Structures are given as structure tokens and as C-alpha cells.
Amino acid sequence: MFWRRRPSEPDRPDGDAAVPDAGPAAEVEEPSPAPDDVQPPAGPVTQRDEVQPSGQAAAPGAGAARDGDGLSAGVERSRGGFVARLKGLLGRGDPDAATWEAVEETLIGGDVGATLALEVVERARRRREAGGPVAAVRAELTALLVDRDPGWVPHRAGPESPAVILVVGVNGTGKTTTIGKLAARYRAEGQTVLLAAGDTFRAAAIEQLRTWGDRAGAQVVAHAPGADPSAVVYDAVDAAVARRVDVLIADTAGRLHTKSNLMDELAKMRRVIDRRLPGAQPEVLFVLDATTGQNGLAQAKAFHASTGLTGIILTKLDSTAKGGIVFAIEQALGVPVRFVGVGEKVGDLLPFDPEAFVGALFG
Amino acid sequence: MFDALSERLRRTLGSLTGHGRISEADVDTAMREVRLALLEADVNFKVVKDFTARVRDRATGSEILASLNAGQQVVKIVNDELTALLSAGDRTLHLAGNPAVIALVGLQGSGKTTTAAKLARHIVKIGRRPLLVAADPYRPAAIDQLVTLGASLDLPVFAAPAGTSVPEIGRLGIAHARHEVRDTVILDTAGRLTLDEVLMAEVTELVRAVRPVETLLVVDAMSGQEAVAVAQAFAAAVPLTGLVLTKIDGDARGGAALSISAVTGLPVKFLGTGEKTDALEPFHPDRLAGRILGMGDVLTLIERAQDAFDATQAEKAAAKLQSGSFSLEDMLDQLQQVKKMGPLGQVMEMIPGLGGMARQAQDSVDRGDLRRTEAIIRSMTAGERRDPTILNGSRRRRIAAGSGTSIMEVNRLVKQFGEMQKLMKQLRGGRRLPGVFGR
């Protein structure tokens, strides 16, 4: 199982040269960056350039302690000097108000959201964690995430019944690409995969899905552009049953969550699956772009209301963005992130690792 | 849910009306609210810091205008500053050169290809002959997408053979445009991450090869805190001339645009307001400022109303209201007009002070209230619509069955309508009534 090649926690090699854990002792032992790094730099880019080396050096203490796995590797590059600055601040014994402000800014800068960031910092302060502020904030952040089974597989009503995955999200988050990666993942496990070209609206979306289908070795059920997407799903469900495929993945057109007619259309696609395959309990995966800001919560809520989300896929985590809005979403909906997208290649979809994700926010 | 800043400030500062000056403490309170509001709107936290510092300077000790209370005064200062920031730079689309080259760059999924098609359509409208050039050889079917969009607009699309380097695609595209006598070239480039040094170098090379008169960064209105860093990285790679803010038809406040303008000085040149190729609008700084603050966007509302409303019909409705002859038939017309303006929640959001009601209104739409009202009226005979007093039990039963509603709902509508008529009669004779909506 190639996608397991980056295990999340316990089997971390002990002899790893990196600092084994983000423990407090480790934080203190980090070489502190030069004091001028502590000043908020003028702009993010300069900041990144200036502190890049120390930021990289500091990285093993936190995120990359998880054996340099793909998520960290992807996100590591995106860590700026903020990390180094923060570590410098936090490593110096007694945290003062300025330190907490820096923590708060890190969270806000990572799109956690101002209100939630204030709450988390407040709780972390009260916590008086022995391990120091970073450990306290990390613990609070991890606590915000819902419990998830790392060995999650999509639900199947029975051995004869396919797992059904409906992929939804706003425009441009990477739904079709993610489906290609998902298909490749299940194919690599030896499962048969059928793709439903449910995006009948965007020009060439069907072609794009076909290309991914070819790459992954998955069949594609498609109608003509402009066809009713529910009809595509209807046919795909029948085809999946007839051909006895293991996994059916349905693409949908990107839609802004504020367009009620389009959200109704999505709800109908879900109903078609439920009716055509009673007991299938489709997995509805919400694809969220990690560069999304506070609007991500409104998106997730709207999609949850119309289709009943069962999971989230956070894409483009290989960018400089941290995807902090996920905390608010998991907290509000209780729906876990299942996968993260960390690149454009077929293998760049990894199981979500809460520890690594929280760590990456701090670097 | 995010409260409109003006509402928040009214709550915290409203009682201060009548003081001669805004005190230091008042300003502190206000700045906390301003900071939160801007952060919730995805304005970059560093920009927020600078911004609140500037507003604080202006607000401290400033005279409260006679007509405004302290809260309104602060809102006014914030609004002025925001508008000033967003007004940065030159917002005209330059089309010098033959062909004039426009390059669109940005992250994956920001909407470059759709924007390319929209721009092409805009350029046709101003009397030019655009050529779309597909310079994204990476994303599967990206070229097909542009070709399809071009065909739908009846415009030529240039695609180079597979394996052509991106700068070469640009050169060939321009040569093709000259050959086909097209005066404008729109380059749709691949989405790229700013961390991807190879692709960033490629876009630099492309821009060097084609020398665009406009290099526009396409930015998703839903972008978060990183938008500034992304824009700076692109600005470092290519000489950007402006921004296109896409997906603004959602409910994102678009603070990212403010951050980018504030840090880079780049103007927003266009807004992407929908999925269709005609959904490209010029940018108005004051409107986005209002949107970021949650102050409502009255001007856009008025424009939409003007687009959607048939003026003569509205006059007629107003006249009928005044004469007291406003019937259920007219109510149906009005309902339809309102629907034409777009999702009701979105419409309400644009009205200052109604931001909070927007959700309620949208909920009532989602529950299908309007549709049910419509169905009930449509199930009535012409006579019944003109004079609902003839509705006896049997007629009401028929209407309920015909509209798929209940007798209770029919009763409620008839009662509401009766009360409305009564109200109209009371108002009549007084001042001239304005129309029901907008006029």
C-alpha cells in the first residue's frame, strides 16, 4: 500500500537525527534566531527570504520530527521565518504579552481566524502547560480537531455493493485533480474504480476527468456537456453495480455555496444515490483549498446542509498557505479532514495527520 | 456570523453621541472592533495593524461631526481610508501595441481560464478582435476548456502543438495574431504555486518573450492571509499591472484584494461575478470597501434593481398601490421582479443594517416561502386575484389542493394581503407613496 509509506506517528524511527519530539526541552535547545528576527518584518516575502535558513534549521524540532513525511515535506517549504521568530520568542522562558501576541499572529496568519485564535490563546494561557506556550497552543489546537480513524476506508454496504464517494466544493479547489488521485490510490490497492463525470457545466471538465481516468486506470461514465448531473450519477450507480466495481467516485461541478439552485442540484445528486442504492451511505467529501480564508467555514456549512458531508480533503497544502480554517470547520461540523493534497502528481494525496498539521502551522 | 462593523460600532460607541470629541478610550474600543472585522474579512494581519494605526491617528481627538455619532464617525474614517487604499493605481485596461498582449497569471483554481474568456468578450464589446492563446500545457484538458469557451464566444483560440515550451507558445501566439489580423492577445497561463521555482521562472521568461501591456494577477475573493505573499511573489517574478478579483458573487468579503492593493499598490481592474462569460464587471473601490466592512452595497443593489425592474411596471404598481387597487396579481408581478434580482439573502446583504436579516430572508427563500406564495396566487382565478373577498371555504380548499399547500397557508396569505391593503388605505391621502421597491 504505497499510500501508507508515510506513516503518521508511532513508527517513527528512533535513531532519527532530528529532535525526536516537539517537547519543551527541544524548543529551548533550538538555537535562537538573531534578535532582529523577532521584529515583525516589513513584508512576508522579505521576511521569508531573510529567515529562511534558520526557519529550515528549526523545522526538525516540530513538523519534521514526524520523520520528514510528505505532509511535512510539502508544508515545510512553506514555513516562513515566523517560525524561527516564534521559537526565538517562546524559547526564552517566561512568555510575556508580546510572546502571546506573536502566537496569536501566527494563528491568524495561518487563517485560523481572529476569533478562534483569541480563544485558543486564551485557553492555552490558562492551561499553564508545563511544556511552555507552544506545547500549550498545540495541545489546544489538536483538541479542536475531531477524533478520526487513521485507517479510514469509504463505507461499503456489503461486499457486493460499491463504496460511493461524492466529491463537492466551490469552484477551483481541485475536485477533479483530487478524484484522479483518489482513483489512483484505490487502483493501487487493487480495487476497481469507476468515475462519474458529474461536472457537466464547466467547459472540458469531462475531458479532464477522462484524462485522469486513463492515468489511474479507471473507467468513466459520462454524458454530453450540459446534461443533468443527477442523470449521470444515476447511470454511474447502475453501472457500478452491474460492473461490480469496488469504488464509485462522482465528480461534481464547482459551485459557490451561496447559489441555492446549484446547492439544490447537489442535494438531488445525493438523493439519487440514496434512492438508487439504499444503504450505500455515500461518503460526501468536501474539497477545500488551503489558501481559502474565513469564507471556508461558510462554504463547509452550506455544503454540509445540502449534502451531509462525511469528510474533508484539504488541497494545495504544498503552497505557502496553512489551511487554518480547518479548525473552525471541524469544530463546527464535527467532520474530519481525511486527506491532504500536497502536489500535482498522482501520488500527492496523503492521509491527514493532525499532529503534523498542527505542527506545520507553527513550523 | 460576522456582524456588520457599523452595527458593532453602533453598539459599542452609539451612546457617545453628544460628546464633543472622541476620547482615547473610545478609539481603543473602536479599533478592537475594526481589527476583528477586517481580520474576519481576510485582510492580512500586518495590513490590519498598519491600517488600524492610521485610523487611530485620524480618529483620536477628531471632532465629531454634528450629524454623526461617534460610531458613525469612526465608520466614516475607516470607510474613507479603505476606499483610498482600494483606489490605488490606474484601473484602466491598457491596450497599446499591435497586438496588445494581456497575460493572466495566478495560483491554480483562481479562475484564469474563465477570466480569459470573459476578458475576450469584454474586448470584443469595445470593438477589438481578440485572440485567446492557451499557454497552459500542464493541467489536463485546460486547452480544451479554453477552446470550448472560445467556440462559445465565436472567437479563435490558438494552441501550440504538444511539447512547445511556454515562452515559445507566447511567441507563436503573437505571430499567429499578426497573421490573422487580431489586435489583442489574451494569454491564459497555467496555475502555479509561488514556491515552484521552475514554473515561476517559466512565467518570467514568458512575460519577457511577449512583453504584455497588461499582466493581471487573478485572485480568488475567498483567499486568506497568504494572498499578500502570493501577490508579492508574482510581482517579483513578473511586472504585474493589476488584479482581477474572481468569485466575488459568493459571500466572501474579499479582504485579500485590500491586502494586496495596500502592500503592492496594484489596482483591482475587474471583478469576476459569475460563471457565465458575461460576468465581468469594472471595479468600484467604494463598493468593495463597504462589502469588507459589511456596510452593504447599496449602489450595486440599485444597479441590479434597475437592471431587473421594468420601470413602467414599477410605476404602474406604485400607482395601483396609491389608488388602493393593488391586487394579488400585482403582488405576483412584484414577487417575480424581486426574484430576478438574485438570491434574496444576497440582496438583503447589500442593504445597510439589514445584514443580519439576510440569513433570515435566505432561510425563508430556502424554505420555499416565496415559491409557495407564488403557487397559491397562481392557483387562483383572475377574479379571485382581483378580489380575494370572494374566497369562500370551497374556493380556498381548491386553491390549497391546486398549489400543493394547506388551507391554513392560503388563509394566512389572504389575511396578510388584507392587512397590507388596509395599511395602504391608511397611508393614502398622506404624502405621495414611493413604489414598493427601489423607486
Side-chain angles (χ1 to χ4, degrees), chain B residues 42 70 78 81 85 91 113 122 147 163 210 215 223 227 273 308 382 388 392 418:
Chain B
D42 289 320
V78 171
E81 287 286 327
L85 269 184
R91 290 196 299 279
T113 308
H122 171 77
V147 168
V210 300
T215 306
S223 308
T273 57
N392 56 23

Side-chain angles (χ1 to χ4, degrees), chain B residues 205-263:
Chain B
E205 227 191 297
L206 169 70
V207 164
R208 265 195 208 126
V210 300
R211 304 229 159 262
V213 59
E214 290 279 1
T215 306
L216 304 175
L217 178 69
V218 181
V219 181
D220 188 328
M222 299 180 277
S223 308
Q225 295 284 324
E226 275 298 297
V228 168
V230 167
Q232 285 180 316
F234 272 101
V238 294
L240 294 176
T241 58
L243 310 173
V244 180
L245 192 63
T246 60
K247 306 181 206 173
I248 195 80
D249 48 330
D251 57 1
R253 297 196 178 268
L258 174 75
S259 311
I260 298 174
S261 281
V263 172

Side-chain angles (χ1 to χ4, degrees), chain B residues 15 100 102 173 222 367 382:
Chain B
S15 55
I102 304 171
M222 299 180 277
R367 280 200 309 271

Side-chain angles (χ1 to χ4, degrees), chain B residues 162-393:
Chain B
T164 315
S165 79
V166 169
E168 191 57 24
I169 295 175
R171 274 183 224 113
L172 290 174
I174 290 175
H176 186 77
R178 290 210 180 100
H179 187 258
E180 299 292 316
V181 207
R182 312 300 298 187
D183 55 15
T184 313
V185 165
I186 301 171
L187 273 171
D188 176 32
T189 67
R192 61 200 79 223
L193 294 176
T194 52
L195 291 169
D196 191 327
E197 286 166 20
V198 177
L199 283 186
M200 291 307 280
E202 177 200 271
V203 78
T204 305
E205 227 191 297
L206 169 70
V207 164
R208 265 195 208 126
V210 300
R211 304 229 159 262
V213 59
E214 290 279 1
T215 306
L216 304 175
L217 178 69
V218 181
V219 181
D220 188 328
M222 299 180 277
S223 308
Q225 295 284 324
E226 275 298 297
V228 168
V230 167
Q232 285 180 316
F234 272 101
V238 294
L240 294 176
T241 58
L243 310 173
V244 180
L245 192 63
T246 60
K247 306 181 206 173
I248 195 80
D249 48 330
D251 57 1
R253 297 196 178 268
L258 174 75
S259 311
I260 298 174
S261 281
V263 172
T264 63
L266 289 169
V268 180
K269 296 209 170 180
F270 291 101
L271 298 178
T273 57
E275 296 187 336
K276 308 245 166 66
T277 50
D278 60 351
L280 188 74
E281 288 179 12
F283 173 70
H284 300 282
D286 46 337
R287 298 186 193 178
L288 189 67
R291 181 175 176 132
I292 290 171
L293 291 177
M295 292 208 312
D297 183 353
V298 181
L299 288 174
T300 302
L301 177 64
I302 292 169
E303 264 178 23
R304 259 203 225 180
Q306 280 168 346
D307 280 352
F309 275 93
D310 185 334
T312 47
Q313 220 174 343
E315 296 277 332
K316 249 192 269 169
K320 278 185 176 165
L321 267 178
Q322 269 186 303
S323 65
S325 64
F326 189 77
S327 70
L328 278 163
E329 186 80 52
D330 301 318
M331 189 165 158
L332 188 64
D333 281 345
Q334 293 288 327
L335 276 180
Q336 239 112 39
Q337 302 254 350
V338 174
K339 265 168 53 183
K340 265 197 278 179
M341 287 169 59
L344 192 57
Q346 222 180 328
V347 172
M348 306 276 280
E349 187 100 9
M350 292 184 214
I351 305 172
L354 288 190
M357 277 169 71
R359 186 118 307 261
Q360 258 176 301
Q362 191 57 48
D363 283 350
S364 89
V365 174
D366 293 344
R367 280 200 309 271
D369 291 358
L370 285 187
R371 254 167 42 209
R372 297 168 90 83
T373 303
E374 222 186 296
I376 292 171
I377 299 177
R378 284 190 191 285
S379 296
M380 295 179 181
T381 65
E384 288 165 348
R385 291 181 201 184
R386 271 193 301 277
D387 180 15
T389 54
I390 63 171
L391 290 173
N392 56 23

Side-chain angles (χ1 to χ4, degrees), chain A residues 59-76:
Chain A
R66 267 142 307 279
D67 71 33
D69 66 357
L71 172 59
S72 284
V75 180
E76 207 171 297

